[in-house]
Amino acid sequence: MGEAPPRASPRHDPRLPALGLVAWLAGIAAAHAGAWCWAPLVLAASVVLVPGRSGRSARNGRSGPRRRWCLAALGIAAAVLSSALLRQAAVAANPLGAWAEERATADLVATVVSDPRPVEGRFGDRFVVRLRVQEVTVRGVRQVLGATLVVLGGASWARTELGERVAAEGRLAPAEDRHVVALLLADRAPVRIRDPDPWWRAAGAVRASIRDAVADRPPAQAGLVPALVTGDDAGLPAEVESDFRVTGLTHLTAVSGTNLTLVVGALLLAARLVGVRGRWLVLVGLAGIVGFVLLTRTEPSVLRAAAMGTVGLFAFGPDGRRRGLRALGVALVVLLLLDPGLATSAGFALSVLATSGIVLLGPPLSSALARWLPRGLAEAVAVPTAAQLACTPVIAVLSGQVSLVAVAANLLAGPAVGPATVLGLGAGLVGLVVPALGAAVGTVAAWCVAWVVEVARHGADLPGAAVPWGSGPVAVGALAVVCVAVAVALPRLARRRGPSVSAAVLLLLVVLGVPGRPWSAPAAGWPPAGWVLVACDVGQGDALVVRAGPAAAVVVDAGPDPDAVAGCLDRLGVRDVPLLVLTHFHADHVDGLPGVLRDRRVAAVEVSPVDDPPGAAAAVRRTLDRADVPVQVGAYGAARRVGEATVQVVHPSPGAAGSGANDASVVLLVEVAGVRALLTGDVEPTAQAALARRLPGLDVDVLKVPHHGSRHQDERWLASLQPEAALVSAGADNDYGHPSGPLLEHLRSVGAQVGRTDDDGDVAVVVDDDGLRVAAR
């Protein structure tokens, strides 16, 4: 007779996602306003608790559910706010904080709660470990207390294992991370009191087995396989990380919901193949989630990834959008109650937005594309497109640019990511029993990631891979409006082959450059036209490049990594270095020296007058002797012309070198193309005060912020310089807390554009028709 009318899909219930949003806003408010948040919360509660009007709406029963939802929202907001304030109060009231301000010596009994991570320290390689303190003895007084602190220790700390209990001794110092009570500077080796629990030992063995299975592969492959499986990116080369940032593939190197979905999905598939069905599959999935968390460590980012991955699993299957949105709302509330500090985390924002984009935009976009594409290919295009579109405004805030190749790069890399992740985990598990077989499986996983590395490398080299975008409220707001408009229009556009293909071809032309006329937007390629000064992304260290002519530059410091500084100079086309200045001899400023010397002519080197640390100073001189490059102490006061640049040493003056290496940093006043820049090394407040007295009324266009943006600064003096641009050279996710948030806000408040290498990569100061601006690679 006729077809039955289509069954109406159930309406989406926004209440749970809205409660999650309320919890998120409460966490942000608690971080920025503290106890002042109680005032609007109490006011809102007083309004909601007033008895509602009787009348038509009450008779219709509408006011009851709305009032109950408002009460639930207020309760969740109050709970998140209380949790955040209690945590802040606990950190502030902990006696370890007061002892840290006094630089007291402490003996601790504590549990290791993170894997050791190498960092470039002042006097060579150091290792950062987080401890959960159980007992502390200071000045003969023993106390039992709970607190989290960070250890900065020597090579002996590299052998600590997650979950073991240790006794440690060292000097306390203030921590710049507000979630940590103190920093412990520990030169002595820790003493193991108790071994890790069996599950931590098992997880550590699997992680080590994954690394061993790919150890003989090229560095990029050997570093990427563990990063894909467990988020262990310690061995990933800097150039691969840079390419991943440009092409929007960075999420692959961090623990994310994608990792969990791939691992648990493979486990469920294996379970189904052996006959597991029904509720037993749910138990297998839950066991897989627990195992994933243990393998990748129970850190906040891992728990966040597990929660978002679980939401993704909910989104698969019948009524996935509605179930996924509900699960997302619940996950937000639970995560923020457990850790309100996530509310201000960029990683949390990216995870939530990516998951939301996949749940909301993914299904309609996939259905639209499936009208003229195979279903599998339609989903492969829809998922990265939805996630990237949702995350674009936040990425613009973090990087100052919008990637035009991210969707294509994720689409091309996607088919290799799943097999590489599952095979990498399989290699680790098999390698525990038969190492040779584990290495064979690891080799196949490495072949898969080789494709991902090539996609990132070629994508990052495209002239239109990324376009600059402001990170201010107006620019980001406009971008958000554009993204929402595109999200609404995209499913309608994607229904038809012609408009979809035309849009894809247009994007391809923008990325590749119109034939015969290369793409020439100032920051789309690198280096940007009109650059005068670049802060290289060399990790936690300094390397500055001052333009001195075509293919020539004055280089100030070499960073900690020869490959990183060599890559930056290669990208800038620098082949001639008429002057290299090493401001002081700490590893994060001089260990990259071989990279500057590599395939370049270095005419002269000037160094600090203080050989601290002596071993590093001697090693620098030996390296320069072998390269037959003359070295001398920076000549104080004299201004000289070096190509297109004028360079003057303004610190340290003879006899005023300061008490340590940082305050003995060579400070340069440089002028090029009419731009005056003050390059400050790592000078601290004592030396900054001396500079203020010696150079009263100094006004500069560009400030290289001292000591990687440490909070220990003479902020009044820095503001008095009235810089239009402030460059901060710091490593991503460093454990020093660099750069200091309040310091950056202070610089912005005096009108400075802030560029930071930890978020932006290489940062350039550019002079063009619009004046002076900062561009990021």
Side-chain angles (χ1 to χ4, degrees):
M1 295 292 294
E3 295 182 0
R7 187 177 179 181
S9 60
R11 293 179 60 189
H12 296 301
D13 187 348
R15 289 176 295 181
L16 276 177
L19 289 178
L21 180 60
V22 167
W24 195 355
L25 294 175
I28 294 172
H32 293 287
W36 289 102
C37 296
W38 282 114
L41 197 62
V42 171
L43 179 62
S46 65
V47 172
V48 173
L49 291 173
V50 172
R53 297 180 302 146
S54 60
R56 185 168 60 185
S57 64
R59 288 194 298 271
N60 290 339
R62 294 176 183 172
S63 61
R66 290 176 182 173
R67 189 164 180 266
R68 286 195 295 271
W69 183 90
C70 290
L71 289 174
L74 289 171
I76 288 172
V80 172
L81 178 60
S82 299
S83 177
L85 294 179
L86 286 173
R87 287 168 178 264
Q88 294 171 14
V91 171
N94 197 293
L96 276 171
W99 290 327
E101 293 290 342
E102 299 170 4
R103 303 299 201 277
T105 300
D107 294 302
L108 306 173
V109 175
T111 300
V112 178
V113 294
S114 75
D115 289 310
R117 189 160 63 89
V119 296
E120 293 291 338
R122 293 184 176 184
F123 306 106
D125 288 343
R126 309 283 280 176
F127 289 85
V128 172
V129 183
R130 283 183 178 249
L131 299 181
R132 182 67 184 174
V133 179
Q134 282 86 40
E135 298 177 11
V136 59
T137 302
V138 175
R139 301 179 183 131
V141 178
R142 175 179 171 273
Q143 288 196 30
V144 178
L145 50 82
T148 299
L149 58 73
V150 171
V151 175
L152 187 62
S156 57
W157 283 89
R159 295 186 291 273
T160 56
E161 298 180 41
L162 182 70
E164 71 173 324
R165 180 170 290 188
V166 298
E169 177 185 352
R171 185 173 296 279
L172 295 170
E176 296 188 346
D177 183 349
R178 67 174 183 270
H179 302 298
V180 175
V181 174
L183 179 70
L184 182 72
L185 305 175
D187 292 324
R188 295 188 180 181
V191 177
R192 176 176 287 188
I193 298 175
R194 191 189 69 190
D195 288 340
D197 292 320
W199 46 83
W200 290 127
R201 292 202 299 272
V206 174
R207 289 164 68 94
S209 181
I210 293 171
R211 292 192 295 269
D212 292 342
V214 293
D216 61 341
R217 303 304 304 165
Q221 299 173 24
L224 187 53
V225 170
L228 282 178
V229 181
T230 66
D232 180 7
D233 61 354
L236 200 62
E239 60 270 20
V240 176
E241 292 188 46
S242 177
D243 292 342
F244 274 38
R245 279 198 298 271
V246 175
T247 54
L249 295 173
T250 305
H251 62 93
L252 298 179
T253 64
V255 178
S256 68
T258 302
N259 302 65
L260 181 139
T261 302
L262 288 169
V263 171
V264 177
L267 182 63
L268 292 174
L269 179 60
R272 289 183 67 88
L273 290 175
V274 297
V276 179
R277 295 292 185 273
R279 294 181 179 178
W280 291 105
L281 272 179
V282 176
L283 293 177
V284 170
L286 291 175
I289 292 172
V290 172
F292 173 83
V293 170
L294 291 175
L295 182 63
T296 54
R297 308 313 201 215
T298 53
E299 297 179 356
S301 61
V302 175
L303 297 177
R304 177 199 75 216
M308 293 301 109
T310 305
V311 172
L313 291 175
F314 268 104
F316 291 124
D319 199 17
R321 274 180 90 183
R322 194 158 62 98
R323 294 171 62 206
L325 282 175
R326 287 179 174 178
L328 180 61
V330 172
L332 280 172
V333 172
V334 172
L335 285 172
L336 290 164
L337 285 173
L338 292 175
D339 186 1
L342 288 172
T344 55
S345 163
F348 179 77
L350 290 171
S351 286
V352 173
L353 290 173
T355 305
S356 303
I358 292 171
V359 171
L360 286 172
L361 179 59
L365 182 57
S366 175
S367 298
L369 290 169
R371 289 171 175 253
W372 55 278
L373 283 177
R375 170 62 66 176
L377 181 57
E379 292 178 352
V381 173
V383 169
T385 302
Q388 188 68 26
L389 192 62
C391 293
T392 293
V394 175
I395 294 172
V397 171
L398 298 175
S399 66
Q401 63 184 14
V402 175
S403 176
L404 298 182
V405 299
V407 172
N410 278 275
L411 180 61
L412 290 172
V417 172
T421 303
V422 175
L423 288 169
L425 177 59
L429 294 173
V430 172
L432 292 174
V433 182
V434 185
L437 184 57
V441 178
T443 298
V444 181
W447 290 344
C448 294
V449 300
W451 167 252
V452 180
V453 171
E454 288 303 305
V455 168
R457 183 171 67 85
H458 288 291
D461 288 341
L462 292 172
V467 295
W469 198 275
S471 56
V474 175
V476 174
L479 183 60
V481 170
V482 171
C483 289
V484 170
V486 171
V488 172
L490 198 56
R492 298 180 182 178
L493 176 70
R495 289 176 186 172
R496 291 179 292 173
R497 185 197 310 262
S500 301
V501 173
S502 299
V505 170
L506 178 62
L507 179 61
L508 184 64
L509 289 176
V510 171
V511 171
L512 296 178
V514 178
R517 183 178 177 182
W519 180 256
S520 59
W526 198 259
W531 73 274
V532 294
L533 172 64
V534 170
C536 295
D537 179 14
V538 291
Q540 182 65 14
D542 270 12
L544 306 171
V545 184
V546 180
R547 181 180 174 87
V554 175
V555 177
V556 182
D557 286 325
D561 180 1
D563 291 336
V565 69
C568 179
L569 293 172
D570 288 344
R571 290 190 291 273
L572 295 172
V574 174
R575 291 291 174 263
D576 186 15
V577 181
L579 176 63
L580 167 64
V581 178
L582 301 176
T583 60
H584 59 299
F585 292 103
H586 284 163
D588 57 334
H589 292 251
V590 301
D591 276 6
L593 176 59
V596 180
L597 298 172
R598 185 186 306 164
D599 300 326
R600 265 170 284 274
R601 187 187 75 85
V602 178
V605 176
E606 294 186 357
V607 298
S608 168
V610 175
D611 287 358
D612 181 15
V620 165
R621 288 188 165 86
R622 285 195 300 270
T623 299
L624 294 173
D625 283 344
R626 288 195 296 269
D628 195 24
V629 178
V631 57
Q632 63 182 20
V633 171
Y636 173 75
R640 52 255 156 83
R641 190 79 177 175
V642 183
E644 297 175 1
T646 301
V647 180
Q648 182 179 16
V649 177
V650 296
H651 181 83
S653 60
S659 58
N662 283 348
D663 275 349
S665 293
V666 177
V667 177
L668 301 175
L669 189 60
V670 174
E671 186 168 341
V672 56
V675 175
R676 178 185 286 187
L678 186 67
L679 312 183
T680 57
D682 278 359
V683 290
E684 296 183 346
T686 301
Q688 293 173 24
L691 279 163
R693 291 191 299 270
R694 197 176 305 128
L695 302 169
L698 179 62
D699 186 353
V700 300
D701 302 303
V702 181
L703 169 68
K704 201 292 291 189
V705 180
H707 202 183
H708 319 294
S710 161
R711 66 174 179 172
H712 301 293
Q713 308 281 354
D714 185 341
E715 291 188 357
R716 181 177 298 179
W717 176 66
L718 296 181
S720 74
L721 299 172
Q722 300 181 350
E724 291 184 49
L727 306 183
V728 183
S729 186
D733 300 322
N734 69 83
D735 288 280
Y736 299 97
H738 297 159
S740 163
L743 172 65
L744 299 187
E745 289 303 316
H746 184 69
L747 291 168
R748 291 189 181 103
S749 70
V750 298
Q753 307 172 60
V754 175
R756 41 190 293 187
T757 61
D758 57 336
D759 282 347
D760 302 333
D762 297 343
V763 179
V765 175
V766 177
V767 178
D768 55 23
D769 293 340
D770 296 326
L772 184 148
R773 62 183 179 85
V774 174
R777 178 176 180 265

